[in-house]
Amino acid sequence: GQQVMQIPQYQHVQEGEDFTTYCNSSTTLSNIQWYKQRPGGHPVFLIQLVKSGEVKKQKRLTFQFGEAKKNSSLHITATQTTDVGTYFCAGGAGGTSYGKLTFGQGTILTVHP
Amino acid sequence: DGGITQSPKYLFRKEGQNVTLSCEQNLNHDAMYWYRQDPGQGLRLIYYSQIVNDFQKGDIAEGYSVSREKKESFPLTVTSAQKNPTAFYLCASSMTGGAPDGYTFGSGTRLTVV
């Protein structure tokens, strides 16, 4: 079945440093979504990417979808302590599985003030 | 306020007992999902339902059962056949058509089996 791998598993940064997490799928995706889960909380939807090579920005966050639609990345510029949490990518396969997502393992981000 | 409610927040059960986790949404979403979250393993899909009275197994359905008798409700039963039931369980819902606005998650139920 479809597998979505996410690296790194953990990332510790000093406040103000940049952060990137990468997501790779074993199969071509129809779409990819990103979620953030604060410590003790539940995942919250951030964004969806659909088009090959798509780049979207949300303030300090930049999301990319690869040309082959098998990989994606999330980059945070100048991290802040409010960025702490686990970031998940989730890939959609399309077809009869339309709407069903496979989640990566997540990257746990710690930001030291 | 529209949202998705899971109850209870914490649940303790003895080994060998079945337990049912509640999930209710008032977002008028057609699709609902159950995920299990374990440290270092992300979210793994247990069951999902795209319409009332229909549901499909996810990647780790063994030892679990669900029903979808109403659009708003998607309860999950953790049976005694589930080998390692202690985990954080998350329910989610989405619009059909590929969930373009993402999943909305409940706040989760933390199940501990002793």
Side-chain angles (χ1 to χ4, degrees):
Chain A
Q2 180 184 23
Q3 289 188 323
V4 175
M5 306 298 291
Q6 195 173 347
I7 57 169
Q9 188 173 0
Y10 302 94
Q11 186 74 59
H12 300 263
V13 300
Q14 289 292 131
E15 190 172 19
E17 292 182 338
D18 291 357
F19 159 75
T20 304
T21 174
Y22 301 91
C23 190
N24 286 285
S25 171
S26 58
T27 58
T28 301
L29 300 170
S30 64
N31 63 299
I32 194 154
Q33 298 184 354
W34 286 90
Y35 292 77
K36 177 183 178 181
Q37 184 176 21
R38 295 184 186 276
H42 57 274
V44 174
F45 174 71
L46 294 176
I47 208 162
Q48 171 169 273
L49 304 171
V50 177
K51 299 176 184 176
S52 169
E54 190 170 12
V55 178
K56 287 189 176 181
K57 293 191 175 186
Q58 288 180 348
K59 297 182 181 178
R60 294 178 294 103
L61 278 60
T62 302
F63 304 85
Q64 292 187 323
F65 201 9
E67 294 290 340
K69 300 183 74 173
K70 295 181 73 173
N71 58 75
S72 181
S73 65
L74 158 60
H75 179 83
I76 302 178
T77 303
T79 54
Q80 300 174 358
T81 54
T82 53
D83 295 325
V84 164
T86 303
Y87 292 86
F88 291 99
C89 62
T96 55
S97 299
Y98 207 35
K100 175 188 165 192
L101 297 174
T102 299
F103 281 76
Q105 301 95 320
T107 294
I108 300 172
L109 173 63
T110 303
V111 180
H112 300 284
Chain B
D1 260 349
I4 183 166
T5 302
Q6 288 187 244
S7 61
K9 192 174 177 70
Y10 298 95
L11 191 54
F12 295 87
R13 278 294 180 269
K14 290 185 177 179
E15 197 171 327
Q17 289 182 333
N18 291 357
V19 61
T20 298
L21 281 57
S22 170
C23 179
E24 303 276 335
Q25 55 100 358
N26 61 2
L27 298 164
N28 200 32
H29 284 170
D30 289 304
M32 296 187 74
Y33 314 82
W34 274 105
Y35 284 87
R36 170 181 171 141
Q37 185 172 28
D38 296 281
Q41 296 198 49
L43 281 69
R44 293 182 291 167
L45 182 63
I46 305 172
Y47 269 97
Y48 66 106
S49 168
Q50 292 177 324
I51 56 171
V52 175
N53 292 323
D54 188 43
F55 49 82
Q56 287 79 41
K57 292 182 179 180
D59 301 316
I60 56 165
E62 186 175 349
Y64 299 98
S65 66
V66 293
S67 63
R68 187 84 188 279
E69 296 176 2
K70 299 187 300 182
K71 186 175 183 178
E72 302 79 17
S73 179
F74 192 40
L76 173 74
T77 297
V78 184
T79 75
S80 56
Q82 167 51 230
K83 300 291 183 207
N84 185 18
T86 294
F88 187 47
Y89 291 88
L90 286 159
C91 180
S93 68
S94 72
M95 294 189 295
T96 51
D101 294 330
Y103 287 6
T104 300
F105 281 88
S107 56
T109 293
R110 197 166 296 277
L111 173 65
T112 302
V113 176
V114 295

